[in-house]
Structures are given as C-alpha cells and as structure tokens.
Amino acid sequence: MSELESRTRYEAAEVEPRILRAWLESGLFHPEPEGTAEENYSIAVPPPNVTGVLHMGHALNGSIQDVLARSHRARGQRTKWILGTDHAGIATQKQVERRLQEEGTTRAELGREAFVERVWEWREQYGSSIVEQFKRLGASLDYEDERFTLDERYAEAVQKVFVDLYAKGYIYRDRYLVNWDPGSGSAISDLEVEEREVVDTLTYVEYPLASGEGTITVATVRPETMLADTAIAVNPNDERYAGLVGQEAILPLVGRRLPIIADDYVKPEFGTGALKITPGHDPNDFEIGRRHGLPELSVIGEDGRMTAAAGERFAGLTVMEAREAVVAALRAEGAISRTEEYPHVVPFSHRSGERIEPLISLQWFMRMDELARPAIEAVRDGRVNIHPERWTRVYLDWMENIRPWCISRQLWWGHQIPVWYRGDETYVGASAPEGEGWERDPDVLDTWFSSALWPFATLGWPRETPELAAFYPTDVLSTARDILFLWVARMIMMGLEFAGDVPFRDVYIHSVIQAPDGRRMSKSLGTGIDPLDEIDKHGADGVRFGLLAMSSSQDVRYSAEKVQQGQGLANKLWNASRLILTKTSGFGAGIDEDAPAGSTGGVAAARPRTVEDRWILSELERTKAELTERIDAYDFSHAALALYDFVYGELCDWYLELVKPRLYEAEGEERADLSATLLHVLSETLTLAHPMIPFVTEEIWSFVPGTDGLLAAQQAAPPDPGARDAQAEATIARTIETIQVLRGWRDGVGAPAGARIPARIEAEGYEETAEHIARLARFELKERGANGSEPVATLAIPGGAVHVYASDAVDLGAAERKLAARRGTLEAEIARSEGKLGNAGFVAKAPSAVVEAEREKLAQLQEELGDLS
C-alpha cells in the first residue's frame, strides 16, 4: 500500500508545520530586488504592534493579502510581501511599566536610558510572537527581511523627514490646547480620541454681576474648571443679555472679575444661553479665548489633579474629587440655583480608555494643508483607488478639512524628537549639535508619524536601494477603515512628498469581523474568538477559507459554519485527489518533459476523449477566469464561493462521477488518456485553489507525478477564453439538469434506491450522455415500454421529455398518495402563513426580521407546492 493510500484522512496538524518549513527553507518568500515596480508586485503588511497577538482582524487581513501575494507569484511576478512590526509607543511603554510595577519599581526610578533598555529587552523576548502566529496562518511574508519602526535604518528615515519638514516650516512648536491622556501621561491626536455618551450633572451656577444689579446664571457639566474661567459669553443676537455685554461678572469662590462678551459660537438654547469661558480646559473655549484675547489659565495638571492655581482648598484633588468639592462650596455660598441630568458625548482616549483632559501644553505640531493637497489630487485623478468606492468620499471630506497634527508625545519609548535647546537657541538635526550645554527635547514622535513612512522606509529610503527601485510604489494596501485617516491618508501624503510617488495604487478597506451575536469581538466582553484556537480545530486552510468566504464590503458576523465549510473543502479535495492519484498510478500519464504551454509543472497535458472531458476542461477555464476577475476586484467572498462550487460541484459531484466507469474499467490508450486528463485537471485545480487553501494543495501536489518543486513556486497558465467549449458545456448542462429531474421524481415517488426504472428519452442532444443519465439517475433506458405500454409519467427535460414506464419497483398509487398528502400539508401551511401575514396587527407589531422570515417561509412553501403540482 502506498503512503497516499494509507492516509485516509487529511491531518492538518501534522501537515502544516512540515509544509511551512519547506516554504521557508526554499527562500521563495524573499525575492531578489530586480526589475521595476511596474513589473513586480508588492504589498506592505500593516505592521502589527510589537505588543500584539493575532486576532481575527489580523487573520482576515492576512488571508486577503496572502491570496493576493500567492496569486501574483503564480502569474510570474516577482512578489514581495513586506513584513515588520510597529514599536507602538504608548501600548508598549504601558506593558513594560506594568511589569516594573509588579517588580516594585517605576520608570522614573530607573531613569530614561535604563527604562528604554528594558523595553528593548522586552521587545526581544515577546516582539516576535505575532510574526510566528502569521506563519501559522500560512502567510507568505518576507520573513528574511523583517523590519521594525525603531530599527536603525528606519530611524534614519524618520529623522530625515522631521528635519526636512521643519526646514520647510511645516513642523513648529506652540502652546496649544491638546487632548491630554492622563492614563498614558501624554498628548494624543484627535484621531486617537473616541467619543462615548455619558450622563453628567448640569449645574446652574449664579455669577453675581460686578455692578451689584443681580446675577447671570451659567450652566456647566464641569464646575471644577470654573476656577480657570476668564469670561462669560453670550450670543450677540440673544436679546436677553443685550444689556450685559461689556459688563463684568464676579467668579464665585475666586472673586475674579470676568468680562461678559458676545460670540456667535454660543447657542442661546443651551442651558441659560450664557456660557462660562475656560480657554485652558475646553477646545471651543480656547478658540473663543484666542478670538477675544482672553487669558489662558490652567487649574488641572498633567497628572489629572488640581494644581496650586486652583486654590489651597482644591489643590491636589483629582478632577472628580474637585468637582464634588467645588459643588459643595458653591452650595454653601448659595450659588447653585438647580441641577439636572445631562446626557452628552465626551472624549476618551482610545489608548488608555481614560477621559480626555483638554490642557494647554507646549507641543510640536505639523501643518497639514500643503501635504494634503497633492494627496487629495492623487485620489481624485485615480492614481490611488479606494475600494469600496464609498470610502473615497469619506477620505476626501476629511482631507479637505484637515487640521494641524500634534506629533509630540510625552513618552520615553519611541523616536525621540531630533531637537536640542541651549538657552534661547534651538537646533534641529539628525545628529546632536557640537558644543556644550545642549539638552535634547525629551518628547518622542507620535507612533503614526513613523508609520506614515512604512511603504518606502521599509525598502531602504532615504537611500536609493535596489529594493526601493524594485518594489516602490507597492500595489495595494489592505486595511481596516478605522485607520483610513490615522495611517492611510498620512502614508499617501508622505509618499508623495518624500518618495516622489503614491505609496500604493489601490486601497482595499476590508470588513470588520464581529462576534456571532453582532457585538464587537473583545476579550473583556467575552466575545473574542482566538484564530489560533480555530486553526487548531479546523486547520489553517479552513480558517482562511472561512474568513474569505464571510468577508464583505460590510461588517459581518463570524460564521463558524463557513470555517467548517473550508475544512470540508480541504477534506473533499484531499479525498478526490486520493481517488485520482491512486487510480491513475502506473498508467504512464504523469511526466511530460515536452509538455506544451499551458500545462502545469511538468504534468502531462490533458488528452480529452469524451464530452465530459471537454466539459471539465472548459469549466476549469471558466472558473479560472472568474477567480482571476474576482480576486483582481478584491471580491474575496465570491472568489471563495466560485472555488468551492467548482471543487464540490463540477469536479467531485459530476466529473468524477461521470468518469467512474472509465476510471475502473478502461485499459490501454483509453486509460492513459483518461489518466492524463485527470492529472491535468487535478494539477490545475491545485494551482487554482492554492492561494486560498495553500497547505492542503501543497501537500497533494507533492504526490502528483511529474510535478517539479513546490506548488507555491509554480507559474499558473492564465485564463484562456479560447479553451472554452460551448458545445460541451451545453451538453453536460442539460445532462445534469435531466439527472436532477429524474432524481427528483424518484425521491417524490419514494422509489427504492436500488431500483432501476424503465424510461425512454424523447429529445435530441443526449446521444453522448444517455448512458450517464441512466447510471446516475438509476433508470433503465428503453426504446419503448414493455408490450407497447403507455408511460405512467412524462417528465419535462431540456429539449424534450423522459417517459417513465410502469415498474414493479415503484407503487405509483402509493407514490401518488404520498404526494397528495404532502400537497395537503403544504396547502394547510400556506393558508396558515397567509393568514398570519394578512393580520395587520402581526405585521405592525412583530419585529421586522420575524415578518421577513415568515414571508420567506411562505415563498418556499408556495414554490414546493408548485413543483409538486
């Protein structure tokens, strides 16, 4: 017994590590930097955080990118899938700080240099986890050229970009209101802020007028910040306050005089229509303050506690403690007229999860207008195409209203800003200035600043490297929508500014995989599904196929059924291949050293003898063309479905069944021709399926006689429209439909499985396939009924009819009674469903999904009844 015959089941757990080793040892994933970017194909992986582990989003995007990479290798293109990880400033620093806390120390006690050294040690120990997990998925990344956004060559690129942008005047330092994240102890950008709805208390505070003629009432959800108020604003068109503009009010608890000003921003309908202005702690107040030249006071520090400027009784309190204390003090003075609950949207840090504290801070900013303009044009003129197309408008809307970017972070882990100070002097450069007394800026750059250089810095820029010439611009970026602005837009801007071209031609925004119940996948919510667990259960091919099949232009719920489908597809292909390979072994059909163009890997070309042989070759070409078209259009779900339908349907359910008599009985030249055709179809199918399910196809390939080298390295023949055989397709299509009609009739009358029922085909075009119809539908074809008897049933088929004659094997009376009973059941069910849907109360009150399900059920019942009539 051969090895293949003894392996009755496909064992993914045994196969996958062995196949992965073969791929890695081959060097296939590490292309030499030759040729041009127009000739070659490249993708830059969205660099996962060095802190990360593989989650379902990585698994989906990894599967998508790997299909693209393997497909283009098979087209003969030199393909590089750029690999690397991101240093992830805030996330990584917090991981290490947590470790230090467990050890009973802090980064402040260690000092900057020692702390950064500890982070590098942590990165060396844990940073490769996600890369190893990508290997489990079968991702054909260039593992020999792994990059890191803090490696020496990458840092050179980051420093050059900063220095050049500073020289152009795009980067500047300013005191400005920023999003301060108390959790990370750093400023963060607008795009790292997420809004959540919370319920706060709206407190109505009476501010006495300095004239002594009454009060002006202000409503606020942040009474603790009133200690930094510098004005009260009203709308200039609000007649209630027309006489107060220009007067002053007295700040309760503090006694400071506040001017009453008019500004169009104030909404008369909010609260009392009078707004306390705190430029140091609110972004809108900050803008109003700058328009009116107001002082900018701060009473909250970077540690999230009240500063000495808040006064002795409040200094040192947390924000929430201060809120309670200020309200209590106001009540004691009788300055609160009323309170009410107020639901509103509040900014939180996407990084730490804590509530954002707007603070005025000295930070580094980057002006974006000049960089945005060419990036807008690149999308408008089609140099960059965003798929699905609806995201183009989202991109353009944001870019056309882009704001300055706060690029400095108060961290120790990251690219330290290349700026030095000595007294009033400032030096900006890639290396430290000469002379004594210079101190470097302690801040680091936003992680997204360095990530924006990813497609060209990974290829060696600013040096003119062979890799840059061969693989830049890249071809496509596949990513999630949540970083369209954080990352994608910034890469386009930086690519145009520094590398002289767009960083990629296409941007594919993939779907988000939700939990099966529609919630987001999250460990904390208990809704997370670990893709590695799924790989352990179903194999990497099953997980890859399932994710591709469930992908969409919309968010989708995780489907365990589709992953099981993928596992089933791998097993089905394995079993079909075993049948073909064991039944063709020894018939001299394998190797063809002079194989004509279009054959695969040295496997002999097909030698079709029959209409079914011509049909499967034609269907192979049709499927090849469809998969190519679907993959090129980033329509991965339909590509997966087309592959599934071909393997399960055309290949296994029909072609292998049609050729079984020849497979077991044919001899000599006929058997050799069939073997050649089967091996050709198998090798082409493996090549076709490989980008989606690479492990099982590579394993099967190793058993195909005449194959040379790894399947992953094979060049596939392109789709050939001229190889389609319309006549064979039509013949087998009507043959299949006829078999299905006859099988349906057998099931309907309850014919025993082994009974061969006499029948006559009265139609043209079945000369080549009549025997197939008789065998697969289990009928006995005759010229006429016994003793000239009339048919007991006439079944419509394409181009004519099949007349069925009486048989002892079938009790037509019992069959008709069975059909009548089923018709009666269906009619009763239809009446019940129609009554339900005719009830206006049910339609109005039931959930829409329930009503729609009832309508679908009624349609199915009516269709079945129609088929039985």
Side-chain angles (χ1 to χ4, degrees), residues 252-271:
L253 306 182
V254 177
R256 185 164 58 246
R257 285 176 172 260
L258 308 177
I260 299 173
I261 61 176
D263 194 280
D264 289 327
Y265 170 79
V266 181
K267 300 174 180 63
E269 66 277 7
F270 174 75

Side-chain angles (χ1 to χ4, degrees), residues 307-337:
T307 66
E312 187 176 345
R313 55 178 162 170
F314 304 116
L317 298 179
T318 66
V319 167
M320 296 310 295
E321 290 169 345
R323 182 174 301 180
E324 294 178 6
V326 167
V327 168
L330 289 171
R331 287 193 190 281
E333 289 191 4
I336 295 179
S337 58

